[in-house]
Amino acid sequence: MKRVLLAAVLLASCSKGGPADIEISNAWARETVAGQTSTAAYMTLANNGSGDDRLLSVAAEAPAMAMLHSSESADGVARMRAMTSGLAIPAGTRIELKPGGSHVMVSGLPAPLRVGQTLNLTLTFEGSGKRSVPLKIVAANEAR
């Protein structure tokens, strides 16, 4: 009996808590110019739930493609790297995808993005499933 109780306590301590509650806000990308086939997208991801979650992947409307990236600077050189293991979103945290940091790289755009348009992305979370996100296209010089 003691072993069963001990096992139950150990399992409970390993749990991530309750469900995640992902809120996506302030999703945007800058307008592009003729011939530019890629852009970066930014947004805020808030986990208002009591359980952890993970953003596993991002998809764009065909024929465009989307991928999670991180940016870092070392010795004056900026580098982008694909985030192949996704992005952890612990319970009770707010993560900002922003210029100079983590972002969504969108490539293969068939036409320039213009101010006022939207570009739809689909975010796939480990626990919260798929979520559709309309990106607002803003002016290239607009500070966000």
Side-chain angles (χ1 to χ4, degrees):
M1 181 67 167
K2 288 182 183 180
R3 287 186 205 188
V4 172
L5 183 58
L6 178 60
V9 169
L10 288 174
L11 282 174
S13 69
C14 292
S15 99
K16 296 180 181 181
D21 178 14
I22 301 296
E23 176 186 343
I24 303 165
S25 61
N26 195 32
W28 63 279
R30 289 191 177 99
E31 67 183 327
T32 59
V33 298
Q36 183 180 349
T37 60
S38 63
T39 190
Y42 311 101
M43 65 195 75
T44 301
L45 305 171
N47 185 348
N48 301 316
S50 58
D52 298 343
D53 210 338
R54 176 175 291 278
L55 177 58
L56 298 174
S57 64
V58 183
E61 297 174 48
M65 298 175 294
M67 181 182 285
L68 278 170
H69 276 197
S70 64
S71 295
E72 59 185 45
S73 292
D75 300 324
V77 178
R79 291 185 174 84
M80 271 194 319
R81 297 191 194 290
M83 298 173 69
T84 56
S85 61
L87 178 65
I89 309 169
T93 63
R94 180 182 174 100
I95 296 174
E96 196 173 340
L97 304 183
K98 60 185 178 180
S102 297
H103 59 279
V104 175
M105 197 70 214
V106 181
S107 60
L109 295 170
L113 299 174
R114 301 285 178 227
V115 173
Q117 288 181 318
T118 58
L119 175 67
N120 291 311
L121 297 179
T122 301
L123 281 59
T124 301
F125 295 90
E126 185 174 63
S128 299
K130 292 185 182 214
R131 302 280 297 277
S132 180
V133 178
L135 291 175
K136 178 181 177 182
I137 307 304
V138 302
N141 61 355
E142 186 174 329
R144 303 281 299 184

